[in-house]
Amino acid sequence: ALTADGAVFAWGKGEQGCLGHREDLLDQLLPKKVEAFAGQRVIVVSAGQQHSLALTADGAAWSWGAGDYGKLGHGDEQRQLLPKKIEAFADQRVLAV
């Protein structure tokens, strides 16, 4: 969920780090703030089966969760437990995911 002030909340199955709650792979029964975005304003969030994407107001794209098949955009297949900026877009302003 994305709030009007740009905060992201995630809940549900914590498998593969798809919730973005630090090292916590546990299921989350109630909405919990994704603290990795503290001090930033998220404007778009999208969730897949085991991964999530977000865009911040500065145009950066972020991903976290299962990285198989390169779906996180980091040039590898590593799982990301916390949101990580997609560096392939470093010189661009991303508008949608």
Side-chain angles (χ1 to χ4, degrees):
L2 179 61
T3 63
D5 63 352
V8 175
F9 287 78
W11 63 95
K13 190 166 183 66
E15 184 178 34
Q16 297 290 329
C18 63
L19 300 179
H21 298 309
R22 298 211 177 269
E23 301 296 323
D24 187 1
L25 298 176
L26 301 174
D27 295 349
Q28 183 65 42
L29 301 180
L30 295 170
K32 180 178 177 183
K33 190 173 186 177
V34 179
E35 297 295 340
F37 290 115
Q40 297 186 66
R41 184 168 183 268
V42 175
I43 57 171
V44 174
V45 67
S46 179
Q49 184 174 357
Q50 293 183 332
H51 71 293
S52 300
L53 298 163
L55 301 179
T56 48
D58 62 358
W62 302 74
S63 64
W64 63 98
D68 50 326
Y69 311 109
K71 64 186 171 190
L72 298 181
H74 300 297
D76 58 28
E77 296 189 63
Q78 298 293 314
R79 172 176 65 185
Q80 295 295 324
L81 300 179
L82 293 172
K84 181 178 178 181
K85 189 183 290 189
I86 302 173
E87 295 300 330
F89 296 120
D91 296 331
Q92 300 177 47
R93 183 174 177 81
V94 181
L95 300 176
V97 291

